[in-house]
Amino acid sequence: MHDCFSCVTAASNTAFRISKGRKLKTKRTVPWWNDELKILWKKVNALLRRYQRTLNNEDLRNERRIQYNEGKRQYQSTLQEEKFKSWQKYCSSTDESNPWNAIYETASGKLRSTTCLTTLQQPDGTFTLDTESTAKHTLGYFVPEDNEINDSAVHKPIRELINEPIDTVDDKHFSQEEIASVIKTFNSKKAPGEDGLTSEIILHVFRSFPSFLMEVYNKCLKEGCFPKQWKKSSIVPIIKQGKEDIRDTSKYRPISLLNVAGKVLDKLMINRILHHVHSNAGLNSNQYGFMPQRGTVEAVMAVKEIIGETLNLKKCISVVSLDVRGAIDAAWWPSILLNLQELKCPKNLFNLARRYFSNRMASLCGITFKLEKPVTMGCPRVLAAVRGFGIYSTTRCLIWTSLTVPG
């Protein structure tokens, strides 16, 4: 398997010019934009949608039109005020000899910045002393450890259960059409993994040798094998907006770059698992996230209906909203596999998922060093569609139905 794709990598290195690095482009923005304007802008959009959706009650429609116009006037007034303040600030701070230098640099896109690891505060209150110690601390934060020593009486039997053989029927092999449709969903402009193969290269390989890739992926499915080189992720830390100056590791959002060939197998597996789960009504009827033709709107409407029924009965009702911090980062793999067992997942898909959750490695590179750490829990945030595809979405569906996630 490794030799097959190393041939593809070697051919790509011969055919394409290898980039020596490029400046990272930053998202252009305006100096006068702030959180207050962002909130007002969202409020105006919400008022507009509310006004447009009110069709059967003319009085209510007129009332909401007035609310929208008032919100729009407030937003535009604040916008003009912030623009004027920003211009005043620029005029008072720019160089009098040549006030247009900054404007030319901004217009031509020459103002660029890159993510740089800075000194961070550690849990004991001390600070990191150099780039390598900062990277080590950051990697430890991004990649938490699943230590069996901390297992409770609930967790220990779960680890034993998932090691027992599963006796369900195997799922059918992947077809050429299925593989082609998956490869086409990837954006060719997204960054590749450490092998440097983009989705466009993989697509060309598939079009030239469709039976080759189909044989590779079906061999993985048949033997329950997820190749080790496809389980290596290169972590790129991205600074969250508004947290540039803080000294806590939470200022970074980690993006995992995975090999595209592995992401294809990942998505093939996920599509099959989701088809099995939905076909057998395996998830709770109150599950709205990551469900076909269901989303947050349906969840809000369901809550609204419950509240309305309760109020009609003149009873009291309480709404509790929970935001679980780091739920995806703390996803416990044995619990996910147990859910797959209980959902009667096809044997070959279950074995493939079990191998997916083994021997994973994450790395964080600097100019003079490369740090690696085994990944034993959580799911990668992949640089694709949002957050990515990967086992990420399947795991989120299964996490909510599990009561055995640590913490």
Side-chain angles (χ1 to χ4, degrees):
M1 189 93 55
H2 177 70
D3 293 338
C4 294
F5 278 89
S6 63
C7 293
V8 177
T9 303
S12 300
N13 293 337
T14 303
F16 299 113
R17 179 175 60 85
I18 300 177
S19 174
K20 295 181 180 180
R22 62 182 179 85
K23 294 181 178 179
L24 296 178
K25 294 183 178 180
T26 56
K27 184 178 179 181
R28 294 192 183 185
T29 183
V30 286
W32 39 262
W33 188 257
N34 55 33
D35 291 339
E36 181 184 3
L37 285 173
K38 185 176 181 181
I39 293 171
L40 288 174
W41 176 69
K42 289 184 176 181
K43 182 179 178 181
V44 170
N45 285 337
L47 291 172
L48 176 61
R49 289 194 298 269
R50 183 186 297 179
Y51 160 61
Q52 291 175 334
R53 292 173 181 175
T54 306
L55 303 175
N56 300 324
N57 189 326
E58 193 63 30
D59 292 337
L60 182 59
R61 181 177 173 83
N62 289 333
E63 179 183 344
R64 290 183 171 176
R65 177 175 58 83
I66 295 172
Q67 292 175 350
Y68 162 66
N69 289 331
E70 178 61 30
K72 185 178 179 181
R73 279 193 295 270
Q74 182 183 359
Y75 168 69
Q76 291 177 340
S77 174
T78 307
L79 181 65
Q80 293 300 324
E81 183 180 349
E82 292 298 331
K83 284 183 176 181
F84 183 70
K85 288 180 180 179
S86 177
W87 177 248
Q88 281 186 321
K89 182 179 179 181
Y90 171 76
C91 291
S92 61
S93 61
T94 190
D95 185 5
E96 295 180 1
S97 61
N98 192 347
W100 305 110
N101 275 344
I103 294 178
Y104 288 142
E105 290 179 354
T106 302
S108 62
K110 293 181 179 179
L111 296 177
R112 305 190 187 278
S113 62
T114 58
T115 299
C116 180
L117 292 178
T118 58
T119 299
L120 299 175
Q121 187 173 14
Q122 302 178 94
D124 59 2
T126 60
F127 290 87
T128 55
L129 301 177
D130 52 30
T131 304
E132 189 168 352
S133 63
T134 299
K136 185 176 181 180
H137 173 62
T138 304
L139 185 61
Y141 176 80
F142 291 158
V143 186
E145 295 182 2
D146 176 26
N147 195 333
E148 295 188 26
I149 298 176
N150 300 325
D151 283 356
S152 67
V154 176
H155 298 104
K156 291 179 180 178
I158 293 177
R159 291 190 192 272
E160 298 175 359
L161 284 173
I162 62 172
N163 290 323
E164 296 181 2
I166 188 170
D167 59 355
T168 54
V169 179
D170 283 342
D171 205 0
K172 62 181 182 180
H173 287 176
F174 301 125
S175 65
Q176 286 191 16
E177 294 77 12
E178 188 178 3
I179 297 172
S181 63
V182 166
I183 298 176
K184 290 177 182 178
T185 61
F186 291 100
N187 188 341
S188 61
K189 296 182 180 180
K190 297 295 184 180
E194 65 176 13
D195 63 2
L197 300 180
T198 65
S199 60
E200 186 175 7
I201 295 174
I202 298 298
L203 182 59
H204 280 295
V205 171
F206 178 76
R207 287 172 175 171
S208 301
F209 311 101
S211 58
F212 161 67
L213 275 187
M214 186 176 69
E215 181 67 23
V216 169
Y217 288 129
N218 281 323
K219 189 74 171 178
C220 292
L221 177 64
K222 180 180 178 181
E223 298 186 2
C225 170
F226 207 104
K228 188 176 181 179
Q229 62 269 25
W230 290 351
K231 294 188 285 187
K232 295 180 180 179
S233 62
S234 300
I235 295 181
V236 179
I238 305 296
I239 298 179
K240 298 177 183 177
Q241 187 176 5
K243 295 188 175 182
E244 293 83 1
D245 299 326
I246 67 174
R247 299 299 182 192
D248 189 78
T249 321
S250 60
K251 68 185 288 184
Y252 296 110
R253 176 178 291 109
I255 301 298
S256 295
L257 302 182
L258 300 169
N259 291 344
V260 176
K263 289 163 65 176
V264 173
L265 179 58
D266 182 343
K267 195 168 182 180
L268 287 168
M269 176 181 66
I270 286 172
N271 289 346
R272 289 291 186 89
I273 291 176
L274 289 178
H275 175 74
H276 171 78
V277 170
H278 295 316
S279 299
N280 294 277
L283 295 179
N284 193 294
S285 59
N286 291 325
Q287 169 74 36
Y288 290 92
F290 301 94
M291 295 282 284
Q293 301 179 351
R294 300 183 78 178
T296 55
V297 175
E298 286 77 15
V300 171
M301 294 304 296
V303 173
K304 179 183 176 182
E305 184 178 349
I306 294 172
I307 293 175
E309 293 175 355
T310 305
L311 293 179
N312 288 336
L313 296 174
K314 297 182 179 181
K315 294 182 178 180
C316 296
I317 186 169
S318 298
V319 177
V320 178
S321 176
L322 299 178
D323 183 9
V324 181
R325 181 179 180 182
I328 302 303
D329 297 330
W332 194 46
W333 295 351
S335 175
I336 298 170
L337 293 173
L338 180 64
N339 275 272
L340 291 176
Q341 276 187 341
E342 294 175 347
L343 291 169
K344 304 298 182 182
C345 179
K347 181 170 63 176
N348 51 1
L349 288 176
F350 177 80
N351 291 333
L352 186 60
R354 180 156 53 186
R355 290 297 297 272
Y356 178 94
F357 287 130
S358 66
N359 299 320
R360 300 195 69 88
M361 294 292 295
S363 64
L364 183 61
C365 298
I367 297 176
T368 59
F369 63 86
K370 178 180 180 180
L371 300 177
E372 291 187 326
K373 185 178 180 182
V375 182
T376 55
M377 64 188 303
C379 302
R381 290 182 174 89
V382 184
L383 192 62
V386 126
R387 286 211 186 157
F389 213 92
I391 199 84
Y392 186 86
S393 57
T394 302
T395 303
R396 292 198 70 163
C397 279
L398 298 175
I399 286 174
W400 309 139
T401 61
S402 171
L403 300 177
T404 52
V405 178

